[in-house]
């Protein structure tokens, strides 16, 4: 399956600032997603990153707080805006490959701590 | 690691034993189910999946069972090894929400040598 890399792998940020996380896939994917995993918890879908158009957000997540870009088939960014300590989480990018199995695979995550 | 949470179910087994991890899912319209393994500091790793037109699927040392009547999913790991120690998540998807996955709470599996 394809390999997803994320940058940065971790960061410590100050309240009120913003952080942009990059996600790069080494081959084409049909769909890309962003998930959040709060400490000790499961994963929650933030949004579907749509190529060349606005992302589709899940309930409880809004574009002003989590703007997402996907300029091409293999790259996406997630920005966490105006951060507060409640935004401290692991942010994970995922993609669905173009093979027949439609496997959804994940990046290593970006661990964000907001002070 | 970041996946250790006091509120996650835990399962401890001896090396060589078989492990069974259970999951209850919520959406009757889900038609695609996946098991992921997440080691500390890493993203979830695909283990095995099953579609709703099946009730059993086998992989290498793993078997997934699906009971749609009671909306229950299980993962069986044969001859569990210390390297299997991780958090295991079930996820459901499909229906009208292609690609979007809803994850279960996770189970911490610890394998003792």
């Amino acid at each position: 399956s394809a390999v997803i890399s994320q940058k940065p792998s971790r960061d410590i940020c100050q309240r009120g600032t913003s952080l942009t996380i990059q996600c790069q896939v080494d081959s084409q994917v049909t769909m890309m997603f962003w998930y959040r995993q709060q400490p000790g918890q499961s994963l929650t879908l933030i949004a579907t990153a749509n190529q060349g158009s606005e992302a589709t957000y899940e309930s409880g997540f809004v574009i002003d707080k989590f703007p997402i870009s996907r300029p091409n088939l293999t790259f996406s960014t997630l920005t966490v805006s105006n951060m507060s300590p409640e935004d401290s989480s692991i942010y994970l990018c995922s993609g669905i490959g173009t093979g027949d199995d439609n496997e959804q695979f994940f990046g290593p995550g970006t661990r964000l701590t907001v002070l | 690691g970041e996946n250790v949470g006091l509120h996650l179910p835990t399962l401890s087994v001896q090396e060589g034993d078989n492990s069974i991890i259970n999951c209850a899912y919520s959406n009757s319209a889900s038609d695609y189910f996946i098991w992921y393994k997440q080691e500390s500091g890493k993203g979830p790793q695909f283990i095995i999946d099953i579609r709703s037109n099946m009730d059993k699927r086998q992989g290498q040392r793993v078997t997934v069972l699906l009971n749609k009547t009671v909306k229950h999913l299980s993962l069986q790991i044969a001859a569990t090894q210390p390297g299997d120690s991780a958090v295991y998540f079930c996820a459901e998807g499909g229906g009208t929400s292609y690609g979007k996955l809803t994850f279960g709470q996770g189970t911490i599996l610890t394998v003792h040598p």
Side-chain angles (χ1 to χ4, degrees):
Chain A
S1 58
V3 175
I4 295 182
S5 58
Q6 289 184 230
K7 285 195 277 189
S9 57
R10 58 179 61 219
D11 207 343
I12 300 173
C13 300
Q14 296 297 319
R15 180 195 299 262
T17 62
S18 298
L19 176 72
T20 296
I21 302 167
Q22 298 181 5
C23 173
Q24 178 73 57
V25 192
D26 69 351
S27 60
Q28 287 189 359
V29 289
T30 57
M31 301 183 76
M32 294 182 75
F33 304 92
W34 286 96
Y35 288 80
R36 181 174 73 183
Q37 186 174 26
Q38 293 179 305
Q41 297 191 28
S42 187
L43 284 77
T44 300
L45 179 64
I46 298 172
T48 304
N50 299 310
Q51 186 200 354
S53 64
E54 191 172 289
T56 306
Y57 291 84
E58 297 302 303
S59 176
F61 299 97
V62 295
I63 188 171
D64 289 347
K65 176 66 175 177
F66 297 102
I68 288 170
S69 78
R70 188 182 173 193
N72 58 54
L73 288 174
T74 61
F75 184 79
S76 178
T77 67
L78 167 74
T79 300
V80 186
S81 303
N82 188 24
M83 288 183 284
S84 67
E86 292 72 33
D87 295 321
S88 298
S89 283
I90 300 169
Y91 292 87
L92 296 129
C93 174
S94 75
I96 296 180
T98 56
D100 292 338
D101 56 8
N102 290 325
E103 177 182 327
Q104 183 166 156
F105 49 96
F106 285 80
T110 296
R111 177 186 278 193
L112 171 62
T113 302
V114 184
L115 303 178
Chain B
E2 64 270 22
N3 295 322
V4 176
L6 295 177
H7 48 283
L8 286 181
T10 60
L11 174 65
S12 293
V13 301
Q14 291 297 127
E15 182 178 3
D17 287 351
N18 297 331
S19 303
I20 299 176
I21 301 171
N22 296 301
C23 175
Y25 65 92
S26 57
N27 188 351
S28 300
S30 295
D31 60 7
Y32 180 54
F33 305 89
I34 316 170
W35 280 100
Y36 285 95
K37 171 186 179 184
Q38 187 175 29
E39 296 173 285
S40 182
K42 297 182 180 180
Q45 176 188 357
F46 177 95
I47 301 174
I48 191 168
D49 60 2
I50 188 168
R51 298 204 174 268
S52 59
N53 60 351
M54 304 172 68
D55 54 21
K56 179 179 180 179
R57 191 170 187 214
Q58 289 184 292
Q60 187 177 17
R61 280 201 308 120
V62 295
T63 301
V64 55
L65 299 177
L66 174 63
N67 185 330
K68 295 182 288 293
T69 303
V70 295
K71 292 190 285 189
H72 183 268
L73 195 64
S74 69
L75 176 70
Q76 301 177 1
I77 305 174
T80 315
Q81 303 166 1
D84 294 327
S85 295
V87 180
Y88 288 81
F89 292 98
C90 66
E92 59 180 300
T96 58
S97 301
Y98 175 73
K100 299 181 181 181
L101 297 179
T102 300
F103 279 77
Q105 65 175 333
T107 297
I108 300 172
L109 174 66
T110 302
V111 183
H112 300 283

